């Protein structure tokens, strides 16, 4: 009986630790779709780190997981943060009127043979706002021609962000860190 109680106690402790880790620290996520290609691929498995958003605001360039609906999470890249202005012109991103390089798009742009990957638009055209409001971010998928993102759904509330992700752990043959 004493040995059984010891096993039950160890199992309960393990379950409590797993619950704490999944609730407050890390959670696995599966990429569903091609909106983040070429950076992420459909069915990639990643670890979402919840810790940064307990203490810090999202930063431009972060790959975040957020609650898009009650039943669906999206993975996108933060393009603009509160107070930023933004627009795209001739396939180039401008934040606060300064050109911003997007090295994660080079592979796709090269495949486009001069056809723009991202159509021209302004923040105001897409959202009705001239700046990203406090408590919100503007996100986009890296596969700009095949992504449902802030151009369609509007700003993402910072409190809807689950966490950031930058490590693919499956498929095992494609383990990698992503930026």
């Amino acid at each position: 009986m004493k040995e059984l109680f010891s096993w039950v106690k160890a199992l309960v402790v393990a379950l409590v630790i797993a619950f704490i880790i999944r609730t407050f620290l890390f959670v696995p996520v599966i990429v569903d779709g091609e909106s983040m290609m070429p950076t992420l691929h459909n069915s990639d498995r990643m670890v979402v780190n919840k810790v940064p958003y307990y203490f810090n605001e999202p930063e431009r360039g972060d790959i975040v997981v957020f609650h898009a609906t009650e039943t669906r999470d999206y993975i996108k890249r933060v393009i603009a943060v509160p107070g930023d202005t933004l627009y795209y012109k001739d396939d180039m991103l401008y934040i606060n009127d300064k050109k911003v390089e997007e090295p994660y798009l080079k592979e796709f742009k090269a495949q486009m043979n001069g056809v723009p990957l991202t159509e021209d638009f302004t923040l105001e055209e897409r959202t009705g706002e001239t700046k990203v409001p406090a408590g919100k971010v503007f996100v986009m998928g890296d596969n700009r021609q095949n992504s449902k993102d802030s151009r369609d759904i509007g700003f993402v509330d910072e409190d809807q962000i689950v966490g950031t992700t930058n490590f693919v752990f499956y498929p095992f043959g494609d383990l990698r860190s992503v930026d």
Side-chain angles (χ1 to χ4, degrees):
M1 187 67 167
K2 189 175 181 182
E3 187 174 322
L4 177 62
F5 178 72
S6 178
W7 277 100
V8 169
K9 188 167 84 173
L11 181 61
V12 168
V13 168
L15 289 173
V16 167
I17 290 171
F19 173 78
I20 290 170
I21 289 171
R22 281 189 63 105
T23 303
F24 300 107
L25 302 176
F26 305 101
V27 64
V29 66
I30 300 173
V31 176
D32 181 19
E34 298 178 349
S35 71
M36 283 298 293
M37 285 186 65
T39 307
L40 303 174
H41 303 102
N42 188 43
S43 299
D44 279 351
R45 282 154 174 83
M46 306 184 73
V47 175
V48 176
N49 182 355
K50 294 181 172 187
V51 176
Y53 294 108
Y54 291 130
F55 307 106
N56 302 311
E57 301 292 317
E59 295 181 12
R60 275 183 232 107
D62 285 352
I63 298 174
V64 296
V65 174
F66 63 94
H67 301 304
T69 69
E70 284 186 26
T71 59
R72 188 148 172 95
D73 290 346
Y74 284 179
I75 300 175
K76 304 293 178 193
R77 187 179 299 275
V78 174
I79 300 299
V81 297
D84 282 347
T85 63
L86 84 94
Y87 63 93
Y88 268 87
K89 180 141 179 79
D90 299 325
D91 215 13
M92 289 300 305
L93 168 63
Y94 293 85
I95 300 283
N96 303 322
D97 293 320
K98 293 181 181 151
K99 188 187 281 190
V100 176
E101 295 297 323
E102 296 182 283
Y104 43 86
L105 297 180
K106 283 185 181 178
E107 182 181 332
F108 251 12
K109 283 185 177 186
Q111 295 173 10
M112 299 300 290
N113 294 323
V115 175
L117 181 61
T118 309
E119 76 284 353
D120 291 354
F121 72 91
T122 66
L123 186 65
E124 189 169 13
E125 289 170 349
R126 293 302 177 132
T127 66
E129 301 283 341
T130 57
K131 291 185 177 186
V132 178
K136 301 191 182 287
V137 294
F138 189 92
V139 299
M140 292 175 71
D142 290 355
N143 185 352
R144 301 294 165 78
Q145 295 181 335
N146 186 22
S147 177
K148 187 171 184 177
D149 51 39
S150 286
R151 295 172 294 174
D152 307 300
I153 64 172
F155 298 110
V156 173
D157 291 330
E158 288 177 354
D159 62 0
Q160 295 298 90
I161 296 175
V162 175
T164 185
T165 185
N166 62 1
F167 181 72
V168 175
F169 69 86
Y170 185 85
F172 297 123
D174 198 17
L175 289 174
R176 67 189 186 284
S177 178
V178 294
D179 294 324

